[in-house]
Amino acid sequence: MPQVDPLLGNCSLSELRQRKSVKWREYPPDVLPSFVAEMDFVLAEPIVAAVTAALALGDSGYPHPGQLPDAFAQFAGDRLDWAPETARIYPIPDVMTGVAEVVQAITPPGSGIVVNPPVYPPFRFRFGFYGRRLIDAPLARGADGRYTLDPDAIEAALSEPDAAVYLLCSPHNPTGNVWSRADLAMVADACRRHGAALLVDEIHAPLALPGARFVPFLAIDHEMTQAETTFTFTSATKGWNISGLKCGLAVAGTAAGTRLLEERWEALEPSHLGVLASAAAFTQGLPWLDAVLGQLDENRKLLTGLLAEHLPGVRYAPPQASFLAWLDCRDLGLGDDPAGVFLENGKVALGHGPHFGAEGHGFARLNMGTSPELLEAAVRRMASVL
Ligand SMILES: Cc1ncc(COP(=O)(O)O)c(C=O)c1O
């Protein structure tokens, strides 16, 4: 079995089981967790140094943006071929809070929000709490198991009378799609035609894998990038595995959009330690990120072989970004929610396909942000149910 890069630790199960995050505490110790989007690697050293230095000083108060906007702009320039204006980069507690706050600010109750299922489950339930409703524009699925945005479905969804916002997941969770410039322009054209706001969740962008070219929405040449109701959202939390530190970033398309965020500062305060950790990640965390990208590239290929060997009935298209594998288990005869059977009979916890929408029936989501050894253990446990 190949070794994990030393920067990432060794993913020792006995050490991982000492973690107290939801991944390691949701299920009893006989279950191998592979559900929530946390990775098993140790943290990047510069992040640990930034947070421990702050704690040593008693520097644990309210946040100041400090270097974070500049740090993200530097990362965007170095890695995403994008030069966002730092004045438009606004720290927020997390991506979903940022999206929810903006949705409440720019749409009246009763508005419809267009999403592309199968999609990240909170997209499906969060807005109901605020009296907004979901409008599905499902992705199209090819015979090869690859997904695409469906212009007809998008047109139909945006034509619904209350459609007010398009919430695009880019890269897409759970399919791992990285959208092209043409895909983004198609979405932007549709939003402009229908007068819809466009919110783009780019949280998985730092994890675009070799062979894929992530395009930040605000970097394309399109008038929607200058619209007052266009916002993108990102974070260091997926790329560097720091969701517990609570910090994300909103980038507004216009100065008016930035003011909208600033006015809501009290609802949008990140954690101070998250700000410090994120700035360290974006500026000093690139060697660690590169090690992760190499490991994930290896793991997504390894999974193809593991499935062929142990679970040939499962269909899987390797993701273009991030650490999530969206598994089509419909030929296994395990019903709508195969993850329920894998948990019950195989003692391995995957993401439940139906949580991602009706299009997820018969699917499960596996987390590859771990060592090849634990990835193989997860697949063996899944196979044991058959
Ligand atoms: C697409 C997507 N958006 C948002 C989130 C949650 O991010 P946050 O904790 O910043 O709200 C996740 C977490 O996995 C995600 O996959």
Side-chain angles (χ1 to χ4, degrees):
M1 193 58 68
Q3 292 294 305
V4 175
D5 188 302
L7 283 178
L8 307 182
N10 58 12
C11 297
S12 136
L13 199 50
S14 61
E15 278 177 26
L16 287 166
R17 289 208 185 279
Q18 292 174 43
R19 291 186 180 179
K20 296 189 176 81
S21 65
V22 67
K23 180 167 186 180
W24 296 97
R25 290 300 151 114
E26 180 72 7
Y27 296 105
D30 60 338
V31 170
L32 184 62
S34 187
F35 62 107
V36 69
E38 294 180 22
M39 296 192 283
D40 290 347
F41 310 127
V42 293
L43 287 184
E45 223 298 301
I47 293 179
V48 177
V51 173
T52 47
L55 292 177
L57 284 173
D59 185 12
S60 54
Y62 290 110
H64 184 277
Q67 304 307 310
L68 183 54
D70 290 320
F72 177 69
Q74 185 183 323
F75 174 76
D78 289 349
R79 291 297 178 108
L80 309 178
D81 199 15
W82 174 35
E85 256 183 65
T86 47
R88 302 266 171 86
I89 303 171
Y90 193 80
I92 56 177
D94 57 66
V95 163
M96 287 309 296
T97 300
V99 172
E101 201 62 32
V102 169
V103 162
Q104 289 180 88
I106 65 175
T107 68
S111 298
I113 303 181
V114 175
V115 298
N116 303 115
V119 77
Y120 177 58
F123 278 26
R124 303 199 58 75
F125 61 75
R126 177 117 185 203
F127 308 106
F129 302 146
Y130 315 120
R132 274 67 172 177
R133 72 178 182 103
L134 273 193
I135 306 176
D136 282 338
L139 297 178
R141 189 164 192 277
D144 57 358
R146 299 220 163 262
Y147 288 84
T148 48
L149 289 165
D150 179 348
D152 294 336
I154 291 168
E155 188 59 33
L158 286 170
S159 302
E160 297 242 349
D162 304 322
V165 174
Y166 190 130
L167 174 56
L168 178 69
C169 193
S170 170
H172 187 268
N173 171 3
T175 66
N177 273 83
V178 169
W179 307 120
S180 68
R181 205 169 279 272
D183 290 326
L184 298 176
M186 181 272 288
V187 166
D189 282 344
C191 289
R192 186 194 47 205
R193 268 199 315 280
H194 290 276
L198 179 51
L199 309 183
V200 189
D201 174 346
E202 300 184 344
I203 196 168
H204 290 279
L207 293 171
L209 295 172
R213 181 96 203 115
F214 168 75
V215 182
F217 179 73
L218 290 174
I220 72 168
D221 183 16
H222 195 286
E223 72 192 67
M224 277 300 288
T225 62
Q226 320 281 318
E228 277 187 22
T229 52
T230 294
F231 294 83
T232 70
F233 300 86
T234 191
S235 161
T237 57
K238 294 297 142 207
W240 286 269
N241 206 34
I242 50 174
S243 22
L245 294 177
K246 280 290 173 201
C247 179
L249 293 164
V251 189
T254 61
T258 310
R259 280 196 297 282
L260 180 148
L261 297 166
E262 285 166 353
E263 280 163 16
R264 287 160 180 77
W265 65 270
E266 206 275 340
L268 287 176
E269 277 195 324
S271 139
H272 175 53
L273 295 177
V275 170
L276 301 177
S278 303
F282 287 127
T283 50
Q284 301 165 60
L286 301 189
W288 187 92
L289 182 68
D290 286 337
V292 169
L293 296 175
Q295 188 63 56
L296 296 181
D297 188 26
E298 193 175 303
N299 287 0
R300 67 178 168 163
K301 292 177 203 150
L302 181 68
L303 184 60
T304 303
L306 287 170
L307 292 172
E309 185 181 348
H310 302 288
L311 279 167
V314 170
R315 278 171 289 165
Y316 148 76
Q320 297 171 304
S322 206
F323 46 81
L324 305 167
W326 182 236
L327 304 179
D328 179 353
C329 304
R330 289 175 296 179
D331 289 348
L332 299 183
L334 301 178
D336 275 354
D337 183 19
V341 184
F342 293 135
L343 177 60
E344 192 62 26
N345 301 341
K347 301 289 178 206
V348 57
L350 275 70
H352 297 273
H355 293 180
F356 295 77
E359 296 73 10
H361 286 189
F363 287 73
R365 195 191 71 178
L366 181 76
N367 183 333
M368 296 188 284
T370 188
S371 62
E373 202 177 342
L374 290 184
L375 184 60
E376 176 166 352
V379 173
R380 283 182 181 276
R381 284 179 184 228
M382 290 167 66
S384 74
V385 312
L386 296 180

